[in-house]
Amino acid sequence: MKYFTHFTLIAITLCLVACQTPNQPNSVPLAKVRAQLPSDWIDLAPSDPKMAYLDPVTRKSLIHFRKSLAAERSTLAYGFHGGYSDATYTKMREMNEECNKSYCANAVVIGRDE
């Protein structure tokens, strides 16, 4: 019984030590990261350094979306109406938001002290 009590105390102590939470809350400078966001990812040059901080899936989606915009600009409907469709403008906003989220979630961006 003595060993069981001793073992239980050690186990409880290890659990308490292993499950400690940090003393300070996570203080990611998200406002500073958001200030670095470009106004429009769609018009951002492919060689811009910020592009490297997008996750690969988002970067591919952005490149594909840019190609679809170029194809839409060459249509008669674009020339006749002088702009994109409402659905395209909605997709532009969604793509920019997706890129913003990807950039803000990048560990390197969050950890930079600029």
Side-chain angles (χ1 to χ4, degrees):
M1 187 70 164
K2 178 180 176 183
Y3 293 112
F4 180 74
T5 306
H6 188 359
F7 176 75
T8 304
L9 287 173
I10 290 173
I12 290 172
T13 304
L14 287 174
C15 287
L16 290 174
V17 170
C19 298
Q20 285 183 347
T21 57
N23 293 334
Q24 296 179 355
N26 188 2
S27 58
V28 173
L30 200 52
K32 189 192 300 187
V33 172
R34 287 199 175 275
Q36 299 169 5
L37 293 172
S39 59
D40 191 1
W41 285 92
I42 295 161
D43 292 334
L44 195 65
S47 60
D48 191 288
K50 287 183 172 98
M51 293 290 283
Y53 295 110
L54 296 178
D55 65 83
V57 173
T58 303
R59 195 173 326 125
K60 273 186 170 179
S61 293
L62 179 60
I63 291 167
H64 178 71
F65 184 65
R66 286 177 175 175
K67 288 178 183 177
S68 70
L69 286 177
E72 188 172 337
R73 280 192 298 268
S74 66
T75 63
L76 291 175
Y78 180 85
F80 181 73
H81 295 292
Y84 298 110
S85 66
D86 289 340
T88 301
Y89 284 118
T90 300
K91 180 65 178 160
M92 288 171 130
R93 285 190 299 276
E94 290 170 355
M95 180 57 60
N96 272 310
E97 186 60 31
E98 185 178 333
C99 290
N100 287 345
K101 287 178 185 177
S102 175
Y103 184 83
C104 289
N106 187 296
V108 175
V109 172
I110 291 171
R112 278 193 312 215
D113 188 18
E114 294 181 349

